[in-house]
Amino acid sequence: MAAITAAMVGELRAKTDAPMMECKKALTEADGDPVKAEELLRVKLGGKAAKASSRVTAEGVVAVYIAGGVGGMVEINCETDFVTKNAEFIAFSNAVAKQIADHNPADLAALGALAIDGGLTVEGKRAELIGRIGENMTVRRFKYFKTAAKLSSYLHGTSIGVVVEYDGADEQVGKDVAMHIAAMKPVSLSSDQVPADLIEKERSVATLKAAESGKPAEIATKMIEGSVQKFLKEVSLLNQAFVKNDKQTVEQMLKAANASVKSFAMFIVGEGIEKKQDDFAAEVAAQMAAATKA
């Protein structure tokens, strides 16, 4: 039996927002496996334990630059929310996005070598800002776009950036789809493009739920497949209910506007980065001790 530490409980609680003791029970049942424990919590607590994918865990900004059918999007991280409002930091991020669109760098090293300001490279300007502002900054990821179709973008503040490649006469359609993506966060364009690992994870959760229901095998199988199909519709853009009119899907809206979406990309600041929380494990340990005494 694996030892369940306060840090493990704290990490699972931060990911799922589930009650502390439920996290401990799930980890115990999963023999310390955090992935299995998260799935157990989803079965037991439903949507309350599904926060991990939308939780922002680092500071920074997303910047986008589009000129015709060419564009660039970049995520640049920093240590505190205070810096994300700094005019120089924002200007730097916007300038980097433009350099991506103008030069299509091969990787982060190539991007860092591009000239940006008064003879400084992107990397040189980053170092200069670190020295002046006194906070670490990193260019985390970027994407270059080039298409014979159209590009549209949406920024939710500076924390979420979306670029959509689409065809259609109405430019508002592209803007509406980009805004929809930022709000609903699809993982793919269509259901047949949803990554296999996400489908299997959902099938695993559905299987556990069906087993707990006590239904006959035939009904349980239908429950599992129904859950998987529902999941595929919820996470694929074309099948989602359109945010500006939930009586139609995005696909139906596009058809009515004689438009189509070819691809999209979305950056969420801090997605997948664990933010350091020095006192959280100690706080959880104290609460666990108190609960044990009680």
Side-chain angles (χ1 to χ4, degrees):
M1 175 66 71
I4 308 303
T5 66
M8 293 166 65
V9 174
E11 184 177 347
L12 185 59
R13 182 184 177 195
K15 283 185 175 182
T16 65
D17 205 34
M20 178 190 64
M21 295 311 295
E22 293 296 339
C23 290
K24 184 181 179 184
K25 289 177 184 176
L27 283 164
T28 301
E29 187 175 344
D31 197 23
D33 184 335
V35 175
K36 185 177 179 181
E38 187 176 342
E39 291 185 0
L40 289 170
L41 284 173
R42 286 189 60 194
V43 172
K44 187 168 185 179
L45 303 176
K48 292 181 181 178
K51 286 183 57 180
S53 63
S54 62
R55 190 178 181 89
V56 175
T57 55
E59 306 301 339
V61 302
V62 176
V64 176
Y65 177 86
I66 290 175
V70 176
M73 181 164 65
V74 64
E75 177 186 349
I76 301 182
N77 297 129
C78 54
E79 293 180 52
T80 65
D81 180 64
F82 176 77
V83 172
T84 67
K85 300 174 178 61
N86 180 282
E88 285 188 286
F89 181 70
I90 293 171
F92 170 64
S93 302
N94 290 333
V96 173
K98 185 177 187 302
Q99 291 298 90
I100 293 165
D102 289 346
H103 299 284
N104 185 21
D107 51 30
L108 286 171
L111 174 59
L114 293 175
I116 190 172
D117 179 30
L120 287 175
T121 62
V122 168
E123 178 57 26
K125 184 66 177 179
R126 183 187 74 89
E128 182 189 70
L129 285 175
I130 291 172
R132 186 156 61 252
I133 297 174
E135 184 168 312
N136 191 29
M137 303 167 193
T138 58
V139 180
R140 183 188 180 201
R141 54 180 171 168
F142 71 90
K143 189 169 179 63
Y144 171 79
F145 305 89
K146 185 175 183 179
T147 179
K150 296 179 179 180
L151 294 174
S152 189
S153 66
Y154 174 77
L155 285 171
H156 183 70
T158 55
S159 63
I160 301 175
V162 177
V163 174
V164 175
E165 179 189 10
Y166 74 103
D167 270 322
D170 187 352
E171 293 189 359
Q172 187 60 44
V173 169
K175 295 176 182 178
D176 285 347
V177 172
M179 182 183 69
H180 170 99
I181 291 167
M184 301 306 293
K185 300 176 179 59
V187 301
S188 68
L189 181 62
S190 58
S191 58
D192 60 351
Q193 295 175 5
V194 176
D197 61 325
L198 292 183
I199 297 173
E200 286 310 306
K201 185 174 182 180
E202 191 63 27
R203 190 182 301 279
S204 175
V205 171
T207 300
L208 289 171
K209 286 183 177 179
E212 286 197 347
S213 73
K215 300 289 185 183
E218 184 178 343
I219 296 176
T221 298
K222 290 181 180 179
M223 289 172 61
I224 294 167
E225 290 309 311
S227 293
V228 171
Q229 292 306 312
K230 181 173 180 288
F231 168 75
L232 291 174
K233 289 181 180 179
E234 289 175 346
V235 300
S236 55
L237 173 63
L238 296 178
N239 288 311
Q240 290 180 332
F242 182 41
V243 289
K244 293 180 74 172
N245 177 8
D246 61 8
K247 298 295 189 293
Q248 60 181 181
T249 63
V250 172
E251 186 173 31
Q252 290 168 336
M253 180 277 290
L254 289 169
K255 186 176 181 180
N258 195 27
S260 63
V261 172
K262 295 178 174 295
S263 66
F264 71 88
M266 174 173 62
F267 284 174
I268 301 174
V269 169
E271 186 177 37
I273 298 175
E274 290 296 331
K275 182 184 289 185
K276 187 177 180 182
Q277 298 185 14
D278 292 330
D279 297 326
F280 194 65
E283 176 191 336
V284 173
Q287 292 185 31
M288 285 173 63
T292 301
K293 283 185 179 181

